Amino acid sequence: MELERLVDGAERILTLNWRDGFTVPTGKLYPFQWNWDSGFTSIGHSYFQLDYAIRELQSLFSGQWENGMLPHIIFHNENEDTYFPNHDFWGTHVNPGAPQRPKSSGITQPAVHGFILENLLEKFPDNEDLISFVKHIFPDVVKSHRFLYAHRDPQREGLMFIFHPWESGRDNSPLWDESLERIEIDASTLPHYQRWDTRIAPSDERPTSYQYDRYVYLLQLGKKYRYDEAGIFEESPFLIQDTLMNAVLIKSNQSLINIGKRFGLDVGELEEWQQQSRSCFKEKLWNHELQTFAPFDVRGGGHIAFKEIGGLASLYADIPSPVQAQRLNDYLWSLHGRGFYICPSFDVDSPLFDSKRYWRGPVWSQMNWMIYHGLKKYGFVETAKIVRSDLIELVRKLCFYEYYEPQKSKVATLTAGYGGSDFSWTAACTLDLLKDGA
Ligand code: 2M8
């Protein structure tokens, strides 16, 4: 596809996936509004209709819970029944602070919205509508961070835990295998359920049934405690201080501080959180042996020691020391030298690497977007250029898919990406990278 046609293609997809107030990630596979997808998608909309970018975020926050939790899915359309688990299965009415409407899931996702707002303000610094929207939504975004600090950090370390792989955004990453193996499924108590995803996307590109049983188990655990963190923290076999989740939060904290200062808003609380989180991330999540950041398994009491993509988001959040950043850059550079599009989502040398299966190896656009900006910030301009051009090349060759094959030799034989097609955040992130011009 020619470069000019990529811009048209991105606009077409964003329009196609727009549903009167919000955007679905892709029409068939994910027919609702997803939390972190919405953030990236709003950047895409802003190029054509700033109004859509604003409405996108407004609709997402219309599902925020009283305690500040921003759900990972907002089920604006309750009659849509081609996704599992739907709003009935989540049953979030068990929590008195969950809104009656719109219905939602009972877990959250990476808190991108602080940095998305800052990105929009950088693009349209003097736009009055945007400025008044940002001022209006600022307290709600801060509230979503306060939820994490109050409920997901019981030891007050400055690092949040997740209790479900879906919260990490990297659902079936091999990172979570060991924690999921702790879960023994009793077939007589696990509710019957039927997946839709494997009817829509090829099953060898999706998580396995073994993993889905455990996703459902953890959902049920959340529901049992009315999605209240205290009980979940006590019982969940899956309890992880994740790299991506915390890096994104730290980046968004900083963006909110910057925005707050510009508009004369109180940022004291944000600054306190930020100081603690940034230093704890740098110390606790750095794995000396691997020379990368790794999630901390709270139940297992140690790092989940694999090279994978989540820790690279730390560059975007300005967390690594110069030496740590150099190591992350070396890692990307070596993958480039070995014939991979960067960045594969998991360690290509691990037996758990699977170049086709979702979060176990493929390249993801929104990750490239964050890593690109992070590398630029640290002055690794050459690597940043490759991260940008690799994604653009994949999209030109294989169209706007959910994720991509990382091996160059294999891509040469393919005509399409993997997972869902006409994918919103891929359109938005590619468009933004095209406009950025490295
Ligand atoms: C994928 O996750 C959903 C569950 O949240 C699914 O597989 O059904 C993940 O890639 C997630 O990060 C993403 O937000 C979502 C929608 O694109 O799809």
Side-chain angles (χ1 to χ4, degrees):
M1 206 189 299
E2 295 308 314
L3 279 180
E4 312 80 67
R5 290 192 47 215
L6 274 188
V7 175
D8 294 345
E11 183 178 10
R12 180 188 65 77
I13 289 169
L14 293 170
T15 309
L16 176 79
N17 292 341
W18 176 255
R19 300 281 185 277
D20 194 22
F22 70 96
T23 314
V24 296
T26 176
K28 286 193 181 149
L29 191 59
Y30 306 128
F32 303 104
Q33 186 178 33
W34 259 259
N35 178 325
W36 72 319
D37 296 58
S38 265
F40 294 104
T41 303
S42 67
I43 288 183
H45 282 305
S46 75
Y47 283 104
F48 311 107
Q49 314 233 33
L50 183 56
D51 176 42
Y52 279 22
I54 292 175
R55 287 171 66 194
E56 179 78 43
L57 297 171
Q58 278 168 335
S59 343
L60 181 70
F61 276 82
S62 72
Q64 186 170 31
W65 289 19
E66 256 172 50
N67 63 5
M69 204 274 286
L70 194 62
H72 99 296
I73 305 177
I74 312 292
F75 298 99
H76 293 290
N77 179 358
E78 292 177 22
N79 300 323
E80 176 66 67
D81 58 1
T82 55
Y83 181 81
F84 172 82
N86 71 3
H87 63 88
D88 280 339
F89 203 89
W90 282 101
T92 51
H93 57 272
V94 294
N95 186 303
Q100 285 288 317
R101 294 237 142 57
K103 299 258 195 283
S104 72
S105 67
I107 58 173
T108 190
Q109 264 188 335
V112 297
H113 310 94
F115 72 70
I116 296 293
L117 291 181
E118 189 180 28
N119 185 291
L120 292 172
L121 277 174
E122 280 163 5
K123 287 187 169 65
F124 306 96
D126 303 318
N127 184 289
E128 287 304 327
D129 291 341
L130 180 64
I131 290 173
S132 87
F133 165 67
V134 170
K135 285 184 182 166
H136 183 75
I137 204 165
F138 182 88
D140 296 336
V141 185
V142 175
K143 190 174 168 187
S144 71
H145 288 212
R146 194 177 299 119
F147 158 79
L148 293 169
Y149 282 91
H151 299 280
R152 295 301 186 90
D153 182 25
Q155 325 277 19
R156 302 286 175 258
E157 291 176 85
L159 290 180
M160 312 303 121
F161 75 77
I162 54 170
F163 75 92
H164 198 296
W166 285 335
E167 294 197 302
S168 74
R170 315 194 292 309
D171 305 9
N172 73 336
S173 168
L175 289 170
W176 322 133
D177 289 2
E178 201 178 311
S179 299
L180 293 179
E181 277 159 23
R182 285 186 200 126
I183 301 173
E184 297 229 351
I185 298 290
D186 176 352
S188 64
T189 55
L190 194 74
H192 173 71
Y193 68 94
Q194 197 169 34
R195 288 173 68 172
W196 279 90
D197 59 323
T198 42
R199 297 189 199 180
I200 298 165
S203 56
D204 63 348
E205 294 171 20
R206 296 287 307 168
T208 60
S209 328
Y210 178 91
Q211 285 156 345
Y212 254 78
D213 278 355
R214 280 147 187 84
Y215 300 160
V216 171
Y217 173 94
L218 291 169
L219 184 162
Q220 293 295 118
L221 178 81
K223 203 180 341 181
K224 171 173 143 190
Y225 288 107
R226 301 174 185 203
Y227 300 106
D228 181 71
E229 272 68 19
I232 294 169
F233 181 74
E234 285 304 313
E235 187 180 331
S236 179
F238 187 99
L239 212 63
I240 288 156
Q241 289 169 319
D242 178 35
T243 44
L244 176 63
M245 189 77 179
N246 282 287
V248 161
L249 177 68
I250 291 169
K251 173 67 189 173
S252 280
N253 276 341
Q254 191 56 50
S255 292
L256 291 174
I257 291 170
N258 300 343
I259 294 171
K261 284 187 175 161
R262 172 175 167 188
F263 295 128
L265 305 166
D266 181 13
V267 295
E269 189 182 26
L270 283 158
E271 281 178 326
E272 268 177 42
W273 294 335
Q274 184 67 335
Q275 208 185 2
Q276 194 196 14
S277 293
R278 188 174 263 150
S279 69
C280 192
F281 188 111
K282 193 158 39 183
E283 300 300 324
K284 185 170 181 181
L285 302 188
W286 182 251
N287 185 290
H288 287 277
E289 209 172 308
L290 292 179
Q291 293 289 295
T292 193
F293 290 106
F296 190 86
D297 177 359
V298 179
R299 284 288 174 255
H303 281 154
I304 306 178
F306 288 107
K307 292 188 169 178
E308 64 86 45
I309 202 161
L312 296 174
S314 63
L315 290 163
Y316 185 44
D318 219 352
I319 296 168
S321 67
V323 175
Q324 290 171 328
Q326 183 64 55
R327 297 292 166 267
L328 300 180
N329 183 60
D330 294 346
Y331 171 64
L332 289 168
W333 201 248
S334 79
L335 288 167
H336 171 67
R338 292 173 57 195
F340 289 95
Y341 285 101
I342 48 178
C343 183
S345 42
F346 198 71
D347 181 4
V348 300
D349 295 316
S350 163
L352 301 172
F353 171 74
D354 183 338
S355 73
K356 215 176 170 184
R357 206 184 274 276
Y358 203 41
W359 284 98
R360 300 178 85 84
V363 173
W364 289 75
S365 65
Q366 83 289 8
M367 296 305 302
N368 273 42
W369 186 93
M370 287 188 281
I371 295 167
Y372 165 77
H373 287 293
L375 288 166
K376 275 212 326 192
K377 199 184 282 275
Y378 275 84
F380 297 118
V381 180
E382 280 311 303
T383 330
K385 277 185 183 162
I386 297 167
V387 169
R388 173 182 178 274
S389 62
D390 274 4
L391 179 72
I392 293 173
E393 191 175 315
L394 283 165
V395 176
R396 279 178 85 169
K397 194 167 163 29
L398 308 175
C399 293
F400 293 96
Y401 272 80
E402 187 178 4
Y403 40 96
Y404 297 96
E405 170 63 46
Q407 300 167 98
K408 288 189 177 164
S409 56
K410 204 160 169 192
V411 167
T413 68
L414 299 175
T415 53
Y418 298 144
S421 58
D422 289 342
F423 215 85
S424 296
W425 67 16
T426 311
C429 293
T430 308
L431 178 66
D432 198 47
L433 289 177
L434 278 172
K435 300 276 184 189
D436 192 285

